[in-house]
Amino acid sequence: MLRQRITDFQAQKELLPQPYTKSSSQQYHYKIFDPSAERPLKIVDQRLYDRAAKDGFPPGFFRETYFDRVTFYCIPDHTDFNFSRFSCCTFAVCRIKEATFDGAALSSSEFHSCAMQYVTFFQASIAHTHFHDSTLQNVSFQKAWMKSCHTVDCDLENISFLHTTLDGCSFGRVNAHGTSNLHTATITQGGATNEEVEQNRKAIFSALRPGKEKQRVPPAKGRDGR
């Protein structure tokens, strides 16, 4: 079983350079999550995602959608995930190119062994969501709120943290180049002392290597927000 999993993983990883090109005009009947909300979301579970991946994704499939415990393994280029919600989801060995997660909310999810290029998380809410063994190139977290997110064993190239909030986040064993706008980010840690927050800030700047921006590290904020 372990050997088969390794074989499947390697086969999936070899497909990363190839875009997923299937499409379909078929529309599905969706259940609606919180229909009384200002922006109601259609619900997609693993069964419906698998069906669409096999037949081709219809227009609007990924936008304003509530994904519950879905494992993503193929995503078309230029996918619009805007204003969608992801609960306990996994992006496993995925090619994610020129996708937008603007205004999206991700919780208790992960990006594992993914190739991400030109992806935006503008004003996204990202909580307890981790990135590991992945490549992120030209990814923007502008004005995103990130809570307890950990990035480990990743290659990070040209990542923007313009006015990003990093609350209790960490970066370990990352190979980072071209990090930008880190000096504009709010780096804090709920419940921590000023000293602990400052140590975490220094660790983040050291890991992401923003170069001259190290000279402009903003003052630390502790549990009282000062």
Side-chain angles (χ1 to χ4, degrees), residues 156 171-176 179 202-210:
L156 309 176
F171 298 82
R173 300 192 302 273
V174 297
N175 182 22
T179 302
K202 289 180 178 178
I204 289 176
F205 269 77
S206 177
L208 297 180
R209 299 191 296 176

Side-chain angles (χ1 to χ4, degrees), residues 57 75 87 101 160 172 176 184:
F57 297 105
I75 297 172
S87 176
F101 291 82
S160 175
T184 71

Side-chain angles (χ1 to χ4, degrees), residues 66-169:
Y66 178 74
F67 294 98
D68 182 27
R69 300 180 185 277
V70 173
T71 295
F72 297 86
Y73 45 85
C74 62
I75 297 172
D77 291 354
H78 317 289
T79 291
D80 179 355
F81 286 107
N82 294 350
F83 307 109
S84 291
R85 292 181 59 176
F86 304 81
S87 176
C88 301
C89 291
T90 299
F91 293 81
V93 204
C94 265
R95 170 193 171 100
I96 309 174
K97 186 172 183 178
E98 299 180 7
T100 57
F101 291 82
D102 301 347
L106 299 90
S107 62
S108 302
S109 298
E110 67 171 334
F111 293 80
H112 169 60
S113 302
C114 292
M116 305 175 65
Q117 291 182 301
Y118 300 100
V119 178
T120 63
F121 291 89
F122 178 71
Q123 291 187 337
S125 173
I126 311 172
H128 305 282
T129 293
H130 312 306
F131 300 81
H132 55 100
D133 189 33
S134 295
T135 300
L136 285 72
Q137 296 179 310
N138 299 292
V139 175
S140 173
F141 293 97
Q142 182 180 351
K143 293 187 177 180
W145 175 78
M146 302 180 71
K147 168 70 174 177
S148 300
C149 297
H150 307 299
T151 302
V152 182
D153 295 326
C154 290
D155 290 328
L156 309 176
E157 182 178 346
N158 299 330
I159 309 301
S160 175
F161 292 96
L162 183 63
H163 300 302
T164 305
T165 297
L166 299 170
D167 183 2
C169 297

Side-chain angles (χ1 to χ4, degrees), residues 183-202:
H183 68 284
T184 71
T186 299
I187 302 175
T188 187
Q189 192 167 356
T193 64
N194 285 343
E195 182 179 0
E196 291 170 334
V197 173
E198 185 62 28
Q199 290 176 348
N200 186 45
R201 174 178 283 102
K202 289 180 178 178

